PDB file of all heavy atoms in Angstrom:
ATOM      1  N   TYR A 147      46.799 127.613  87.828  1.00 85.00           N
ATOM      2  CA  TYR A 147      47.722 127.747  86.711  1.00 85.00           C
ATOM      3  C   TYR A 147      47.203 126.998  85.491  1.00 85.00           C
ATOM      4  O   TYR A 147      47.366 127.430  84.361  1.00 85.00           O
ATOM      5  CB  TYR A 147      49.075 127.183  87.165  1.00 85.00           C
ATOM      6  CG  TYR A 147      50.194 127.188  86.159  1.00 85.00           C
ATOM      7  CD1 TYR A 147      51.108 128.221  86.140  1.00 85.00           C
ATOM      8  CD2 TYR A 147      50.362 126.137  85.266  1.00 85.00           C
ATOM      9  CE1 TYR A 147      52.154 128.209  85.241  1.00 85.00           C
ATOM     10  CE2 TYR A 147      51.403 126.121  84.372  1.00 85.00           C
ATOM     11  CZ  TYR A 147      52.297 127.158  84.361  1.00 85.00           C
ATOM     12  OH  TYR A 147      53.334 127.149  83.473  1.00 85.00           O
ATOM     13  N   TRP A 148      46.549 125.871  85.714  1.00 86.00           N
ATOM     14  CA  TRP A 148      46.066 125.047  84.611  1.00 86.00           C
ATOM     15  C   TRP A 148      44.609 125.279  84.282  1.00 86.00           C
ATOM     16  O   TRP A 148      44.092 124.709  83.334  1.00 86.00           O
ATOM     17  CB  TRP A 148      46.272 123.555  84.923  1.00 86.00           C
ATOM     18  CG  TRP A 148      47.704 123.180  84.962  1.00 86.00           C
ATOM     19  CD1 TRP A 148      48.421 122.837  86.070  1.00 86.00           C
ATOM     20  CD2 TRP A 148      48.617 123.129  83.871  1.00 86.00           C
ATOM     21  NE1 TRP A 148      49.713 122.584  85.726  1.00 86.00           N
ATOM     22  CE2 TRP A 148      49.860 122.751  84.383  1.00 86.00           C
ATOM     23  CE3 TRP A 148      48.495 123.365  82.500  1.00 86.00           C
ATOM     24  CZ2 TRP A 148      50.984 122.606  83.579  1.00 86.00           C
ATOM     25  CZ3 TRP A 148      49.612 123.229  81.701  1.00 86.00           C
ATOM     26  CH2 TRP A 148      50.838 122.847  82.243  1.00 86.00           C
ATOM     27  N   VAL A 149      43.914 126.082  85.097  1.00 88.00           N
ATOM     28  CA  VAL A 149      42.504 126.327  84.798  1.00 88.00           C
ATOM     29  C   VAL A 149      42.415 127.352  83.673  1.00 88.00           C
ATOM     30  O   VAL A 149      43.175 128.315  83.620  1.00 88.00           O
ATOM     31  CB  VAL A 149      41.766 126.819  86.060  1.00 88.00           C
ATOM     32  CG1 VAL A 149      40.427 127.415  85.678  1.00 88.00           C
ATOM     33  CG2 VAL A 149      41.562 125.672  87.031  1.00 88.00           C
ATOM     34  N   ASN A 150      41.490 127.113  82.779  1.00 88.00           N
ATOM     35  CA  ASN A 150      41.265 127.969  81.621  1.00 88.00           C
ATOM     36  C   ASN A 150      41.291 129.455  81.972  1.00 88.00           C
ATOM     37  O   ASN A 150      40.525 129.933  82.797  1.00 88.00           O
ATOM     38  CB  ASN A 150      39.898 127.595  81.057  1.00 88.00           C
ATOM     39  CG  ASN A 150      39.693 128.147  79.687  1.00 88.00           C
ATOM     40  OD1 ASN A 150      40.102 129.257  79.413  1.00 88.00           O
ATOM     41  ND2 ASN A 150      39.087 127.357  78.834  1.00 88.00           N
ATOM     42  N   LEU A 151      42.186 130.191  81.303  1.00 91.00           N
ATOM     43  CA  LEU A 151      42.356 131.618  81.588  1.00 91.00           C
ATOM     44  C   LEU A 151      41.083 132.398  81.261  1.00 91.00           C
ATOM     45  O   LEU A 151      40.728 133.345  81.962  1.00 91.00           O
ATOM     46  CB  LEU A 151      43.537 132.172  80.786  1.00 91.00           C
ATOM     47  CG  LEU A 151      43.956 133.589  81.135  1.00 91.00           C
ATOM     48  CD1 LEU A 151      44.313 133.706  82.606  1.00 91.00           C
ATOM     49  CD2 LEU A 151      45.136 134.012  80.289  1.00 91.00           C
ATOM     50  N   LEU A 152      40.382 131.977  80.212  1.00 92.00           N
ATOM     51  CA  LEU A 152      39.131 132.646  79.849  1.00 92.00           C
ATOM     52  C   LEU A 152      38.130 132.548  80.999  1.00 92.00           C
ATOM     53  O   LEU A 152      37.509 133.535  81.389  1.00 92.00           O
ATOM     54  CB  LEU A 152      38.557 132.007  78.580  1.00 92.00           C
ATOM     55  CG  LEU A 152      37.155 132.447  78.174  1.00 92.00           C
ATOM     56  CD1 LEU A 152      37.141 133.923  77.828  1.00 92.00           C
ATOM     57  CD2 LEU A 152      36.644 131.622  77.010  1.00 92.00           C
ATOM     58  N   ILE A 153      38.016 131.336  81.564  1.00 92.00           N
ATOM     59  CA  ILE A 153      37.049 131.134  82.639  1.00 92.00           C
ATOM     60  C   ILE A 153      37.459 131.910  83.897  1.00 92.00           C
ATOM     61  O   ILE A 153      36.622 132.494  84.578  1.00 92.00           O
ATOM     62  CB  ILE A 153      36.893 129.621  82.917  1.00 92.00           C
ATOM     63  CG1 ILE A 153      36.117 129.009  81.759  1.00 92.00           C
ATOM     64  CG2 ILE A 153      36.189 129.372  84.227  1.00 92.00           C
ATOM     65  CD1 ILE A 153      35.903 127.554  81.869  1.00 92.00           C
ATOM     66  N   ARG A 154      38.768 131.959  84.153  1.00 93.00           N
ATOM     67  CA  ARG A 154      39.217 132.730  85.318  1.00 93.00           C
ATOM     68  C   ARG A 154      38.908 134.213  85.132  1.00 93.00           C
ATOM     69  O   ARG A 154      38.486 134.891  86.064  1.00 93.00           O
ATOM     70  CB  ARG A 154      40.724 132.532  85.531  1.00 93.00           C
ATOM     71  CG  ARG A 154      41.075 131.087  85.881  1.00 93.00           C
ATOM     72  CD  ARG A 154      42.557 130.910  86.091  1.00 93.00           C
ATOM     73  NE  ARG A 154      43.019 131.652  87.235  1.00 93.00           N
ATOM     74  CZ  ARG A 154      44.258 132.141  87.365  1.00 93.00           C
ATOM     75  NH1 ARG A 154      45.124 131.978  86.404  1.00 93.00           N
ATOM     76  NH2 ARG A 154      44.606 132.774  88.443  1.00 93.00           N
ATOM     77  N   THR A 155      39.110 134.714  83.898  1.00 94.00           N
ATOM     78  CA  THR A 155      38.846 136.132  83.653  1.00 94.00           C
ATOM     79  C   THR A 155      37.348 136.428  83.739  1.00 94.00           C
ATOM     80  O   THR A 155      36.943 137.444  84.308  1.00 94.00           O
ATOM     81  CB  THR A 155      39.391 136.533  82.270  1.00 94.00           C
ATOM     82  OG1 THR A 155      40.729 136.047  82.144  1.00 94.00           O
ATOM     83  CG2 THR A 155      39.410 138.033  82.104  1.00 94.00           C
ATOM     84  N   VAL A 156      36.526 135.514  83.185  1.00 92.00           N
ATOM     85  CA  VAL A 156      35.084 135.687  83.275  1.00 92.00           C
ATOM     86  C   VAL A 156      34.640 135.679  84.741  1.00 92.00           C
ATOM     87  O   VAL A 156      33.792 136.486  85.149  1.00 92.00           O
ATOM     88  CB  VAL A 156      34.344 134.582  82.477  1.00 92.00           C
ATOM     89  CG1 VAL A 156      32.854 134.620  82.750  1.00 92.00           C
ATOM     90  CG2 VAL A 156      34.605 134.743  80.986  1.00 92.00           C
ATOM     91  N   SER A 157      35.229 134.789  85.557  1.00 92.00           N
ATOM     92  CA  SER A 157      34.889 134.739  86.976  1.00 92.00           C
ATOM     93  C   SER A 157      35.174 136.075  87.645  1.00 92.00           C
ATOM     94  O   SER A 157      34.374 136.572  88.448  1.00 92.00           O
ATOM     95  CB  SER A 157      35.700 133.665  87.698  1.00 92.00           C
ATOM     96  OG  SER A 157      35.597 132.445  87.044  1.00 92.00           O
ATOM     97  N   MET A 158      36.340 136.654  87.310  1.00 92.00           N
ATOM     98  CA  MET A 158      36.701 137.937  87.893  1.00 92.00           C
ATOM     99  C   MET A 158      35.723 139.016  87.456  1.00 92.00           C
ATOM    100  O   MET A 158      35.284 139.834  88.255  1.00 92.00           O
ATOM    101  CB  MET A 158      38.138 138.289  87.481  1.00 92.00           C
ATOM    102  CG  MET A 158      38.691 139.526  88.122  1.00 92.00           C
ATOM    103  SD  MET A 158      38.557 139.545  89.920  1.00 92.00           S
ATOM    104  CE  MET A 158      40.122 138.870  90.401  1.00 92.00           C
ATOM    105  N   LYS A 159      35.320 138.969  86.181  1.00 91.00           N
ATOM    106  CA  LYS A 159      34.351 139.938  85.666  1.00 91.00           C
ATOM    107  C   LYS A 159      33.029 139.829  86.427  1.00 91.00           C
ATOM    108  O   LYS A 159      32.438 140.820  86.820  1.00 91.00           O
ATOM    109  CB  LYS A 159      34.128 139.687  84.169  1.00 91.00           C
ATOM    110  CG  LYS A 159      33.258 140.711  83.454  1.00 91.00           C
ATOM    111  CD  LYS A 159      33.089 140.296  81.995  1.00 91.00           C
ATOM    112  CE  LYS A 159      32.081 141.140  81.253  1.00 91.00           C
ATOM    113  NZ  LYS A 159      32.638 142.319  80.615  1.00 91.00           N
ATOM    114  N   PHE A 160      32.609 138.586  86.641  1.00 88.00           N
ATOM    115  CA  PHE A 160      31.365 138.342  87.368  1.00 88.00           C
ATOM    116  C   PHE A 160      31.454 138.898  88.789  1.00 88.00           C
ATOM    117  O   PHE A 160      30.541 139.558  89.283  1.00 88.00           O
ATOM    118  CB  PHE A 160      31.089 136.841  87.391  1.00 88.00           C
ATOM    119  CG  PHE A 160      29.923 136.449  88.248  1.00 88.00           C
ATOM    120  CD1 PHE A 160      28.630 136.782  87.850  1.00 88.00           C
ATOM    121  CD2 PHE A 160      30.106 135.759  89.428  1.00 88.00           C
ATOM    122  CE1 PHE A 160      27.552 136.427  88.635  1.00 88.00           C
ATOM    123  CE2 PHE A 160      29.028 135.408  90.213  1.00 88.00           C
ATOM    124  CZ  PHE A 160      27.744 135.738  89.818  1.00 88.00           C
ATOM    125  N   LEU A 161      32.606 138.669  89.430  1.00 89.00           N
ATOM    126  CA  LEU A 161      32.775 139.063  90.832  1.00 89.00           C
ATOM    127  C   LEU A 161      32.718 140.573  91.022  1.00 89.00           C
ATOM    128  O   LEU A 161      32.106 141.064  91.966  1.00 89.00           O
ATOM    129  CB  LEU A 161      34.113 138.508  91.344  1.00 89.00           C
ATOM    130  CG  LEU A 161      34.496 138.832  92.786  1.00 89.00           C
ATOM    131  CD1 LEU A 161      33.509 138.199  93.752  1.00 89.00           C
ATOM    132  CD2 LEU A 161      35.902 138.319  93.083  1.00 89.00           C
ATOM    133  N   ILE A 162      33.360 141.324  90.109  1.00 89.00           N
ATOM    134  CA  ILE A 162      33.506 142.764  90.359  1.00 89.00           C
ATOM    135  C   ILE A 162      32.520 143.624  89.572  1.00 89.00           C
ATOM    136  O   ILE A 162      32.625 144.845  89.574  1.00 89.00           O
ATOM    137  CB  ILE A 162      34.950 143.247  90.061  1.00 89.00           C
ATOM    138  CG1 ILE A 162      35.286 143.084  88.575  1.00 89.00           C
ATOM    139  CG2 ILE A 162      35.964 142.514  90.927  1.00 89.00           C
ATOM    140  CD1 ILE A 162      36.610 143.721  88.196  1.00 89.00           C
ATOM    141  N   ARG A 163      31.558 143.009  88.873  1.00 85.00           N
ATOM    142  CA  ARG A 163      30.556 143.818  88.170  1.00 85.00           C
ATOM    143  C   ARG A 163      29.821 144.763  89.109  1.00 85.00           C
ATOM    144  O   ARG A 163      29.766 144.530  90.311  1.00 85.00           O
ATOM    145  CB  ARG A 163      29.506 142.897  87.533  1.00 85.00           C
ATOM    146  CG  ARG A 163      29.955 142.249  86.254  1.00 85.00           C
ATOM    147  CD  ARG A 163      29.120 141.024  85.921  1.00 85.00           C
ATOM    148  NE  ARG A 163      27.939 140.874  86.754  1.00 85.00           N
ATOM    149  CZ  ARG A 163      26.703 140.820  86.265  1.00 85.00           C
ATOM    150  NH1 ARG A 163      26.490 140.923  84.984  1.00 85.00           N
ATOM    151  NH2 ARG A 163      25.682 140.637  87.078  1.00 85.00           N
ATOM    152  N   ASP A 164      29.191 145.800  88.522  1.00 82.00           N
ATOM    153  CA  ASP A 164      28.452 146.756  89.343  1.00 82.00           C
ATOM    154  C   ASP A 164      27.393 146.062  90.184  1.00 82.00           C
ATOM    155  O   ASP A 164      27.151 146.436  91.335  1.00 82.00           O
ATOM    156  CB  ASP A 164      27.780 147.812  88.446  1.00 82.00           C
ATOM    157  CG  ASP A 164      28.811 148.706  87.774  1.00 82.00           C
ATOM    158  OD1 ASP A 164      30.009 148.522  88.075  1.00 82.00           O
ATOM    159  OD2 ASP A 164      28.432 149.558  86.963  1.00 82.00           O
ATOM    160  N   THR A 165      26.729 145.028  89.595  1.00 78.00           N
ATOM    161  CA  THR A 165      25.707 144.313  90.345  1.00 78.00           C
ATOM    162  C   THR A 165      26.223 142.950  90.799  1.00 78.00           C
ATOM    163  O   THR A 165      25.458 142.054  91.098  1.00 78.00           O
ATOM    164  CB  THR A 165      24.453 144.101  89.476  1.00 78.00           C
ATOM    165  OG1 THR A 165      24.875 143.444  88.282  1.00 78.00           O
ATOM    166  CG2 THR A 165      23.773 145.401  89.133  1.00 78.00           C
ATOM    167  N   GLY A 166      27.563 142.797  90.823  1.00 81.00           N
ATOM    168  CA  GLY A 166      28.154 141.509  91.174  1.00 81.00           C
ATOM    169  C   GLY A 166      28.185 141.270  92.669  1.00 81.00           C
ATOM    170  O   GLY A 166      27.871 142.158  93.460  1.00 81.00           O
ATOM    171  N   PRO A 167      28.575 140.058  93.068  1.00 82.00           N
ATOM    172  CA  PRO A 167      28.579 139.681  94.489  1.00 82.00           C
ATOM    173  C   PRO A 167      29.405 140.623  95.364  1.00 82.00           C
ATOM    174  O   PRO A 167      28.983 140.950  96.478  1.00 82.00           O
ATOM    175  CB  PRO A 167      29.201 138.286  94.486  1.00 82.00           C
ATOM    176  CG  PRO A 167      29.025 137.779  93.106  1.00 82.00           C
ATOM    177  CD  PRO A 167      29.004 138.963  92.204  1.00 82.00           C
ATOM    178  N   LEU A 168      30.544 141.090  94.873  1.00 85.00           N
ATOM    179  CA  LEU A 168      31.412 141.923  95.706  1.00 85.00           C
ATOM    180  C   LEU A 168      30.693 143.213  96.104  1.00 85.00           C
ATOM    181  O   LEU A 168      30.624 143.552  97.288  1.00 85.00           O
ATOM    182  CB  LEU A 168      32.702 142.245  94.943  1.00 85.00           C
ATOM    183  CG  LEU A 168      33.803 142.908  95.769  1.00 85.00           C
ATOM    184  CD1 LEU A 168      34.237 142.008  96.910  1.00 85.00           C
ATOM    185  CD2 LEU A 168      35.011 143.229  94.881  1.00 85.00           C
ATOM    186  N   ASN A 169      30.123 143.902  95.119  1.00 84.00           N
ATOM    187  CA  ASN A 169      29.382 145.126  95.421  1.00 84.00           C
ATOM    188  C   ASN A 169      28.162 144.840  96.302  1.00 84.00           C
ATOM    189  O   ASN A 169      27.858 145.612  97.204  1.00 84.00           O
ATOM    190  CB  ASN A 169      28.954 145.818  94.124  1.00 84.00           C
ATOM    191  CG  ASN A 169      30.016 146.802  93.641  1.00 84.00           C
ATOM    192  OD1 ASN A 169      30.568 147.552  94.453  1.00 84.00           O
ATOM    193  ND2 ASN A 169      30.305 146.786  92.365  1.00 84.00           N
ATOM    194  N   ASN A 170      27.452 143.728  96.022  1.00 82.00           N
ATOM    195  CA  ASN A 170      26.290 143.384  96.829  1.00 82.00           C
ATOM    196  C   ASN A 170      26.655 143.193  98.299  1.00 82.00           C
ATOM    197  O   ASN A 170      25.975 143.683  99.191  1.00 82.00           O
ATOM    198  CB  ASN A 170      25.644 142.093  96.302  1.00 82.00           C
ATOM    199  CG  ASN A 170      24.759 142.386  95.101  1.00 82.00           C
ATOM    200  OD1 ASN A 170      24.615 143.546  94.718  1.00 82.00           O
ATOM    201  ND2 ASN A 170      24.200 141.349  94.514  1.00 82.00           N
ATOM    202  N   TRP A 171      27.755 142.469  98.524  1.00 82.00           N
ATOM    203  CA  TRP A 171      28.162 142.227  99.911  1.00 82.00           C
ATOM    204  C   TRP A 171      28.572 143.513 100.598  1.00 82.00           C
ATOM    205  O   TRP A 171      28.164 143.778 101.722  1.00 82.00           O
ATOM    206  CB  TRP A 171      29.326 141.234  99.961  1.00 82.00           C
ATOM    207  CG  TRP A 171      28.916 139.854  99.591  1.00 82.00           C
ATOM    208  CD1 TRP A 171      27.685 139.294  99.742  1.00 82.00           C
ATOM    209  CD2 TRP A 171      29.744 138.858  98.996  1.00 82.00           C
ATOM    210  NE1 TRP A 171      27.692 138.016  99.264  1.00 82.00           N
ATOM    211  CE2 TRP A 171      28.938 137.715  98.803  1.00 82.00           C
ATOM    212  CE3 TRP A 171      31.077 138.817  98.598  1.00 82.00           C
ATOM    213  CZ2 TRP A 171      29.431 136.542  98.241  1.00 82.00           C
ATOM    214  CZ3 TRP A 171      31.568 137.656  98.051  1.00 82.00           C
ATOM    215  CH2 TRP A 171      30.750 136.530  97.862  1.00 82.00           C
ATOM    216  N   LEU A 172      29.390 144.296  99.881  1.00 85.00           N
ATOM    217  CA  LEU A 172      29.846 145.547 100.484  1.00 85.00           C
ATOM    218  C   LEU A 172      28.649 146.438 100.845  1.00 85.00           C
ATOM    219  O   LEU A 172      28.635 147.081 101.883  1.00 85.00           O
ATOM    220  CB  LEU A 172      30.795 146.289  99.532  1.00 85.00           C
ATOM    221  CG  LEU A 172      32.177 145.639  99.354  1.00 85.00           C
ATOM    222  CD1 LEU A 172      33.005 146.408  98.342  1.00 85.00           C
ATOM    223  CD2 LEU A 172      32.916 145.542 100.683  1.00 85.00           C
TER     224      LEU A 172
END
Side-chain angles (χ1 to χ4, degrees):
Chain A
Y147 179 96
W148 292 110
V149 165
N150 194 321
L151 189 57
L152 171 64
I153 288 179
R154 296 180 65 209
T155 312
V156 171
S157 308
M158 186 52 93
K159 186 182 172 90
F160 173 70
L161 179 64
I162 64 172
R163 281 161 10 122
D164 292 357
T165 55
L168 190 61
N169 270 317
N170 279 358
W171 290 332
L172 289 177

